[in-house]
Amino acid sequence: MEKKPHFVRREFLPREVSSISLALLLVAVLLLNVLLYLYLNKFYNSLGHTETDPSLCPFGHFKLGSVKNCSPWLSCEAINREVRKLKCVGEGAVKKVFLSEWKENKVVLSQLTNSELKEDFLHGLKMLKALQSKHVVRLLGYCEQQFTILTEYHPLGSLRGLNETLHIPKYKSMNTWHHRLMLAIDYVSVIHYLHSSPLGTLVMCDSNDLDKVLSQYLLTSDFHILVNDLDALPLVNRSAGRLVKCGHRELQGEFVAPEQHWPYGEDVPFEDDLMPPYDEKTDIWKIPDVSNFLLGHVEGSDIVRLHLFDIHAACKKKDPAERPSAREVLDTYRKVLTLLIREAAMPGTREML
């Protein structure tokens, strides 16, 4: 009797299916991590992960717009001959700022307004020349005799107008926790650069309230932050026992660090000579307040704040020595960004594993 062929139907066991799914998931996670690494590597370089900018010219030169060649900083003669003022766009205690034009390019011309503050003006120029980098507004020229500085123009203006800018239809797509956190990273990158600058540890002294801090920084058209005003940037030199004091008047309010307050109580009149000096950790105290503004109130920003809670609490330690360095804050911000991007790209991955 002829036997009929016997077909055996193999059924995959749930365990085999689970193993295959797990393997596919692990491959997907690996690919995601590779893409994330490439993205973040590009992102950090765009933020100034390295302090030098390959597009920058040699010292004493600049490039503007689409021009490929570097030009030397404009001299007094060139500024007087080639730069045309258009309108006044701002005025502070030290200088008046004019939107101007040079060879069909919009530029910014700053001129001293108070002769009593010429030392501050010249100090700002000295800092601007010495600190040219991806973190600092581009210097185009200057004239010490006429107390004039020429810099690159950024149409979005200072950080004070960030929220208004993000409500413009053209920029609404940038109003996300992701882009806002990148701005906060940019800001801390500037602080880190100043604290480890080629000149030494510099303190951002013109920062007694949030509005004043925001006015010191520019928002570029590609949504990066540049420090613009360097008039009040004293040097800390611990080895030489040199600390700083931000101005000669009594500072008040919760925005400034505790060590910047008059320590002898209301019964003792303020005297500048008796006020103890301090170091760069005053800048660290202010980071959470500035970042809170930059993060805004968009979907996801509260999650970012939750992840930054511990480092911000450390920034607010009353003892300056217990606060983290700008490098430690920056590293934490970057780790949080990496974590949140990974979780946003593959929600539920942790549970699946």
Side-chain angles (χ1 to χ4, degrees), residues 108-247:
V108 174
L109 188 71
S110 302
Q111 291 184 318
L112 178 69
T113 54
N114 185 347
S115 60
E116 294 180 359
L117 297 175
K118 63 182 180 182
E119 293 303 320
D120 292 338
F121 184 90
L122 293 175
H123 176 75
L125 173 59
K126 177 184 175 183
M127 295 293 104
L128 197 53
K129 288 193 290 184
L131 299 175
Q132 286 293 288
S133 70
K134 295 180 78 167
H135 306 290
V136 179
V137 69
R138 190 168 302 174
L139 178 64
L140 309 180
Y142 63 92
C143 179
E144 286 193 36
Q145 298 94 311
Q146 298 174 9
F147 298 99
T148 299
I149 300 173
L150 193 70
T151 54
E152 189 173 15
Y153 172 63
H154 294 280
L156 295 183
S158 79
L159 272 182
R160 284 188 297 190
L162 174 64
N163 290 325
E164 290 74 13
T165 296
L166 289 171
H167 282 96
I168 298 173
K170 179 181 178 181
Y171 297 109
K172 276 189 175 180
S173 63
M174 309 294 282
N175 195 18
T176 64
W177 71 262
H178 178 224
H179 287 100
R180 282 178 171 272
L181 178 54
M182 289 197 296
L183 286 178
I185 291 174
D186 239 359
Y187 165 70
V188 179
S189 296
V190 174
I191 299 299
H192 170 59
Y193 176 66
L194 295 178
H195 288 185
S196 56
S197 82
L199 301 176
T201 302
L202 298 167
V203 182
M204 195 69 179
C205 260
D206 221 349
S207 56
N208 298 334
D209 58 66
L210 179 61
D211 193 62
K212 187 63 175 176
V213 171
L214 297 174
S215 71
Q216 309 301 305
Y217 295 87
L218 295 172
L219 180 65
T220 68
S221 297
D222 58 350
F223 267 67
H224 288 287
I225 290 176
L226 299 173
V227 62
N228 180 51
D229 196 329
L230 304 175
D231 294 345
L233 210 60
L235 178 69
V236 168
N237 188 340
R238 283 192 186 82
S239 60
R242 181 179 176 182
L243 300 178
V244 303
K245 287 192 287 188
C246 292

Side-chain angles (χ1 to χ4, degrees), residues 22-93:
L22 181 60
L24 291 173
L25 178 61
L26 289 173
V27 170
V29 171
L30 180 62
L31 289 173
L32 175 65
N33 283 331
V34 171
L35 292 172
L36 188 61
Y37 169 80
L38 293 173
Y39 168 78
L40 290 173
N41 185 57
K42 180 180 179 181
F43 162 67
Y44 289 152
N45 285 334
S46 72
L47 281 183
H49 189 56
T50 55
E51 307 305 347
T52 56
D53 182 352
S55 70
L56 289 177
C57 296
F59 182 79
H61 295 73
F62 70 92
K63 273 193 297 189
L64 194 61
S66 59
V67 178
K68 293 184 178 180
N69 297 326
C70 294
S71 302
W73 286 337
L74 300 185
S75 63
C76 296
E77 181 184 359
I79 291 174
N80 291 333
R81 184 179 66 250
E82 301 172 11
V83 176
R84 181 170 65 94
K85 290 181 185 178
L86 299 178
K87 63 177 179 178
C88 178
V89 292
E91 183 173 3

